Amino acid sequence: MANSTEPQKPQNTKKNKKKGATLDTFYGAKIQNTEQTEDNIKENASKPSKGNGNSPQTYEEFESEMTKKMEAFWEEKLEIMQKKFTHLQNQFDQTVKENQALKARIRQLEDNDRVKEQELIKQSQNTKKLEENIKYLTDKVIDLENRGRRDNLRIIGLPEKPEINTKLDMVIQDIIKENCPEILEQGGNTATDRAHRTPSTLNPQKTTPRNVIAKFQSYQTKEKILQEARKRQFRYKGMPIRVTQDLASSTLNDRKAWNMIFRKARELGLQPRISYPAKLTIYFQGKVWAFNKIEDFQLFAKKRPELCGKFDTENQRARNT
């Protein structure tokens, strides 16, 4: 008995189609599965209506209804996109305005910076001129002060005793009689206008006596005493003292900076001298050399094998500071 087999129904290759459409809601939005939507419209149009039957008018009504829905849908999406576009356009316009404002501010700042830079250059030039003028005026004042002291002698090492401090004029005459009596024999005017200790107040913490400043009536007599003081050691009643030219404090400090080099040069037989205002001169290799600054002498000594390494100017500078 032959098995009767029912003919197999061909499988429906068409997949179930979803109604409706998927929309891309940004610029360039499009409907996906357009063909499926058209097929659904045709299938629904071919079905007979419950009340009126299958008539062309029903299909047209359905198509018109779908068209209205699609138009409404796109109008809604278009309105949303238009709002977004307007919002983005407003943001862009605001950004452009802010960018222009920032550019204008940057230009203003750059202009201000250039103006300030020019002002700084002018101020720097003015400051340099002022510094040069101040240095010139300072040197001028120091020179005038030194010239005002040209008749003075500074006596260093005179003991601090009441009997000396109250009779400084007489003490100075005794120093002249003891160390250079030939000036008195020649009839020189050794009289002094005044003599005083400096500083005016005694510092009890210092063990060294204060210097004595004596102003002579005769510049020539003062110079003769100073020349004799350069030749030999002066004494007062057997106690060693030193007699030098009285100068401004800044000039004395400049001269003091040469002390170590001066002593070493004397030991080496270089015949050193400190000339006005604070210049060191030495006699070396048959020539007289003059130096205004310690750095100049240091460079000179380094280039001479006979002097190299014999002047420790760094330690001297450390002591001065």
Side-chain angles (χ1 to χ4, degrees), residues 226-279:
L226 186 60
Q227 290 175 7
E228 293 297 327
R230 289 169 178 169
K231 294 177 182 178
R232 59 181 181 274
Q233 176 71 60
F234 270 33
R235 294 180 178 274
Y236 173 69
K237 294 183 179 180
M239 294 179 296
I241 60 174
R242 190 156 61 95
V243 177
T244 63
Q245 173 67 48
D246 180 38
L247 296 168
S249 58
S250 58
T251 305
L252 290 175
N253 291 332
D254 293 340
R255 288 192 168 199
K256 186 178 179 181
W258 290 105
N259 284 350
M260 187 278 300
I261 294 176
F262 185 89
R263 290 194 295 268
K264 189 64 178 178
R266 178 180 289 175
E267 293 175 3
L268 297 175
L270 300 178
Q271 303 176 16
R273 287 191 60 184
I274 301 294
S275 57
Y276 181 83
K279 182 187 297 184

Side-chain angles (χ1 to χ4, degrees), residues 62-75:
F62 177 77
E63 187 177 11
S64 175
E65 182 180 359
M66 292 299 295
T67 301
K68 290 179 180 180
K69 288 182 178 181
M70 293 297 294
E71 289 177 352
F73 174 79
W74 280 113
E75 286 179 357

Side-chain angles (χ1 to χ4, degrees), residues 89-264:
Q89 185 66 37
N90 293 334
Q91 287 184 339
F92 177 77
D93 295 339
Q94 184 66 24
T95 303
V96 170
K97 292 179 180 179
E98 292 177 356
N99 189 24
Q100 292 176 350
L102 289 174
K103 287 182 178 180
R105 187 175 179 182
I106 289 173
R107 284 194 297 269
Q108 184 178 4
L109 290 173
E110 289 177 348
D111 294 339
N112 294 338
D113 186 64
R114 281 192 293 269
V115 172
K116 290 181 178 179
E117 185 176 357
Q118 294 175 356
E119 291 179 354
L120 286 175
I121 292 174
K122 292 180 180 179
Q123 290 179 0
S124 178
Q125 294 173 351
N126 293 335
T127 302
K128 186 177 180 181
K129 291 180 180 179
L130 288 174
E131 290 176 351
E132 292 175 353
N133 292 335
I134 290 172
K135 185 179 183 306
Y136 170 77
L137 293 174
T138 302
D139 294 341
K140 193 72 174 177
V141 169
I142 293 173
D143 182 66
L144 290 173
E145 184 179 356
N146 287 330
R147 292 181 183 277
R149 296 170 181 258
R150 64 194 303 267
D151 296 333
N152 297 355
L153 284 179
R154 182 180 291 262
I155 303 172
I156 303 170
L158 198 61
E160 286 272 2
K161 294 181 180 180
E163 59 272 19
I164 294 177
N165 293 341
T166 56
K167 299 178 181 180
L168 287 175
D169 293 335
M170 297 177 61
V171 170
I172 292 170
Q173 296 300 321
D174 293 338
I175 292 173
I176 296 172
K177 291 178 184 179
E178 183 176 351
N179 296 277
C180 46
E182 62 275 7
I183 295 177
L184 295 174
E185 295 174 357
Q186 294 173 2
N189 181 13
T190 60
T192 57
D193 285 337
R194 59 182 177 272
H196 64 275
R197 292 277 186 177
T198 181
S200 58
T201 304
L202 177 63
N203 186 355
Q205 296 180 353
K206 287 189 175 182
T207 58
T208 57
R210 292 172 295 169
N211 296 344
V212 175
I213 306 298
K215 180 177 177 57
F216 286 82
Q217 294 180 356
S218 173
Y219 172 77
Q220 290 77 11
T221 300
K222 187 269 306 182
E223 281 295 315
K224 290 179 181 179
I225 297 172
L226 186 60
Q227 290 175 7
E228 293 297 327
R230 289 169 178 169
K231 294 177 182 178
R232 59 181 181 274
Q233 176 71 60
F234 270 33
R235 294 180 178 274
Y236 173 69
K237 294 183 179 180
M239 294 179 296
I241 60 174
R242 190 156 61 95
V243 177
T244 63
Q245 173 67 48
D246 180 38
L247 296 168
S249 58
S250 58
T251 305
L252 290 175
N253 291 332
D254 293 340
R255 288 192 168 199
K256 186 178 179 181
W258 290 105
N259 284 350
M260 187 278 300
I261 294 176
F262 185 89
R263 290 194 295 268
K264 189 64 178 178

